[in-house]
Every structure is written in C-alpha cells, then in structure tokens.
Amino acid sequence: MIKAVFQDNLTFLAFAIALTLAAGAIAYLVAARRMERAPAAFYGLWTSSTVGPVLLTTWSGSGILTYQCTINPNVTQAFTTTQGQLNVLLFAPFGLFAVLATRRALLSVGIGFLFTTIVETGQATLPFVSRLCDTDDLVTNSVGVLAGVAVGSVVDRGIRFGKPLSRPAVRRTVIGGTAATLLVAGVWTAAIDPVRAVLPTEAPTASPQQLHALNSALNKALGSGLAVSEANFHNNIEGSSTINAPLPGGYAELTWPDQEKLTVHFTPSSQGEGTYAYWIPGASRRVSTAEQAQQVATLYTQRHAAWALPDSQVKVWPVDAVDKNLGWVIERRRWRGKLLMPMRLDILIEPSGRLVDLIARNVDDPKTPPSKFGEQQAWQRFDSYHKIKSAQARREQPIYLAERRADEWRVHWRLTARYNGTVFSAIVDATTGAIHNAAALPEDAPLPGAQGIHAP
C-alpha cells in the first residue's frame, strides 16, 4: 500500500522515516534530563507522531496556491475512502502518546484538534506545501486523534508512569494554544475561501451492454488491468450521451451509442494525493523534454492505437510553458487539405513518463458536403450575429473542421473573438452559414474546458 500511495518515491519515504525517528530521539534525550526514562520515552514518541504526519501531509504538493478549502456536508463519506481510513491511522498515535506524555486527556484532545487544523490551514496557504485542503481530512484526522486519546487514557490507568503535566505548564499551554487558535481563525477569515463540495447526483446505472463497451474500449486503450465493474449512463439530449466510471485515481468516459470517443483522466503525480497517473507497461519512463515525451506517446500509439498513425500529423507542446512539471501534450490529427478530420488522439505525459490524460477518437475520414462559406464570410456571419465591429475585435485563430451535427457530418468554422471585455464564440456551418452554440462570456471568466487536454 505504501508503494502505491507514494508511487515509487521510496527515497522520500525513507527520508521521512529517518527524520521522524531522529526528532523523536532528540526529544527523548532532552526530556530524559528532566524526568525518568519511561515518561521521557513517551515525549519522544509524541514528537515522532507529530513530525511524521507533518512530513507526509505536506509532501509533494501541486505548487499552486488555491487559498480554498472544500467543505463536504456529508461528514461520514470521508470514512468510506482509503485515504480517510489512512488519515485516522496516521493521527491516532498523536493522541495516544499525547495522553501518555502529559497524562492530561482533555488537554491532549485540544492540542490534537489544533494540530490537525493547523495542518489543513497550511495545506491551503503555504507555498511550499500547496496541497488540497478539505474538511474530510480535518474530520478523519481529528477522529484519529480522539481514538488515540481514548486508547491512551485506558493505557494510562494501567501503567501510570511519571506525573501529570503541572498546572502552570497546562496554563501556559492553554494560553499558547488560544493564541494559535486565534491566529488560525484570522487566517481563515482573511485568506481562505470555503467552497462547498458539489455532491454527485444519482445517475442511471449503465446496462450490461454499455458496461461491456466501456471495458472493451479500456482494454484496447490501456490493457486489461483497468476493467470496471459498474458505470453510470448520462443521457445528453443535445449531444452524445456518455458512459462514465471511476478508475483508481481517475475516471473514464465513452460516448454512446457511437462508442467513438474514449476519455481517460488520472490524477497527476504533482498533486501528491492518493493514486497517481497511469504507468504504461513497456513505454513509460522518466522524461525531461518534449522529444522524450513524444517517444513514450509513440510507443503507446504503436501498441494501443495504431489506427491513429496513418497520415496523421504530430504536434507536441508543454501543458505550461513555465512549469515543466505538468508535462507535455502529444496530439495526433489528420487533415484533408485545411480541413481538420474528426480522428483524434491526445495524450498528456508527465515527467514521470506516466499517462495523465487520454482522448482517443477512432473515426474514419467522413464524406462532407461542399463548403460555401470561407473564413472571411464566416467571420462576417459571426460579427453580424454578435453585433461586433470587426476592426475593434481581437480574433482568435479559427478552427476549420468536420464534426457531426444531428447525426450528419458537416463542415464548421469554430470562431472566437474578444471585444469590449467580452469573449464571443460561435460555430458557423461552412455550407449553410447557420450559427450554432453562440456564447458570450466576461473576458476574465474561465472558458469551458480550461483544464486538461482541449481541442475540438
């Protein structure tokens, strides 16, 4: 389980264990100068149970500060996940050794709650941590502390090593804890934006036929190791319906009933949470350049998506021009002159060589009606519809492509322009000039599909 969680980062795990043991040993030596060895050992173990969780919960964040914390109203849901259960086990020793060291159960509970709150606050606000903050972790961590305190209280009655923490020491601890609590409360008030978790709505269960289709697509794309036992069916009246299923650390989606487009997403390793991106057997290896990422993607394509190789053009670009830790997108497209065909294979490879995103659309080049509206004519239709003065608008690069509408392949212009602080978009039928999917959004609003692999 440890290897699965840390995805081969065993060097860090060894460092964390060594540092945890060293901190405990130092605390023991310091305490042993003032008290007997047995209670001093509990202080050493308490220190280790503090340092260990801090290291593990601040390791390998995304590097992106969100200043947000997700509030999940379903409190019990956290205990149904592997991560939630591991959180309980991770923080239980803190409560256990806090009681055995101080022999003050209520004080240990208060310190434990403050400790878990500080950890979650740091995950949302410290740039060198940049982890996900949510109430699921806060609840499970706190329950772990409570469980440890409960066990410690029972053990304390039987062993009774040392003396309870003195009243002056308790008083100083309470004063310090109160100051820390006020500081944390101030950070939450001034810097953290609580975001209510959007709970999933019930979706119809996929039929055996649909489940078989999804597993067949996954088997072709990623091998037999990721078969799913259940899936949901989402009926989209305006477009293709989809079959959706969770995967370890991600999800899969297949369009229905055409079964043309498979989308797979895994959690990037950079996020440092749970299960990470998919290791491609026989292809994945660490990469540091776009060329190396393309080599991994080409090996994958040759073994799992050979249909994308004939007459396709390859384009590679970094997900982020500055942060190379996010990886590279390797795109395969096929063109008929200037017309983009629907065949599509997009792969996002992260520096570990693992696959993060996959969009596979195995479609033969369709027959399309003749185009009657060129680029300039399409822009004229666009400007007229949106009432834009073309001379003052900033036009994005148009996309000229074949795509299906109402079960018929058509040729379209996908157009976007920025005008007076608004982003306008629309699809113009290159045969009839009809306008579809017209939209206008504030220029600073996130555009649909602002994350992951995007292109029509």
Side-chain angles (χ1 to χ4, degrees), residues 100-114:
L100 296 180
T102 65
R103 299 190 62 192
R104 299 280 188 178
L106 291 178
L107 181 67
S108 299
V109 170
I111 294 174
F113 284 173
L114 179 59

Side-chain angles (χ1 to χ4, degrees), residues 174-309:
V174 170
I175 294 174
T178 301
T181 301
L182 292 174
L183 177 61
V184 170
V187 171
W188 273 77
T189 302
I192 296 181
D193 180 22
V195 178
R196 183 182 175 89
V198 179
L199 300 179
T201 57
E202 291 293 332
T205 302
S207 68
Q209 179 187 8
Q210 292 167 338
L211 185 61
H212 175 76
L214 178 58
N215 276 321
S216 177
L218 285 172
N219 184 45
K220 292 176 182 178
L222 300 173
S224 58
L226 287 175
V228 298
S229 58
E230 58 182 22
N232 293 325
F233 175 65
H234 296 266
N235 188 9
N236 186 356
I237 298 176
E238 297 182 356
S240 296
S241 299
T242 57
I243 308 165
N244 305 78
L247 297 174
Y251 67 85
E253 178 182 276
L254 179 68
T255 56
W256 184 266
D258 55 59
Q259 304 179 41
E260 287 179 353
K261 181 181 176 183
L262 174 68
T263 303
V264 179
H265 171 75
F266 294 97
T267 303
S269 297
S270 60
Q271 292 191 12
E273 299 284 352
T275 306
Y276 308 124
Y278 178 73
W279 181 269
I280 308 170
S284 289
R285 59 178 183 273
R286 293 202 64 83
V287 299
S288 57
T289 65
E291 292 75 15
Q292 293 173 342
Q294 182 177 344
Q295 291 172 2
V296 173
T298 300
L299 283 174
Y300 166 85
T301 305
Q302 291 171 344
R303 297 175 185 181
H304 297 279
W307 48 265
L309 293 172

Side-chain angles (χ1 to χ4, degrees), residues 90 116 172 174 324-325 434:
L90 182 64
T116 60
R172 290 192 296 270
V174 170
K324 295 299 189 296
N325 290 326

Side-chain angles (χ1 to χ4, degrees), residues 349-383:
I349 300 296
E350 65 175 22
S352 70
R354 297 172 182 268
L355 182 150
V356 175
D357 282 296
L358 169 70
I359 298 178
R361 192 178 189 190
N362 184 4
V363 181
D364 294 331
D365 295 352
K367 293 181 179 181
T368 56
S371 296
K372 298 180 181 179
F373 286 77
E375 180 180 340
Q376 291 305 316
Q377 293 171 303
W379 277 117
Q380 290 173 4
R381 294 282 297 164
F382 178 92
D383 293 342

Side-chain angles (χ1 to χ4, degrees), residues 414-438:
R414 283 181 174 261
L415 306 178
T416 303
R418 300 174 185 272
Y419 179 72
N420 285 347
T422 303
V423 179
F424 296 91
S425 62
I427 298 173
V428 180
D429 191 307
T431 302
T432 66
I435 303 289
H436 303 287
N437 295 50

Side-chain angles (χ1 to χ4, degrees), residues 17 63 130 168 221 262 268 366 397-398 427:
I17 293 174
S130 305
L262 174 68
Q397 181 67 34
I427 298 173

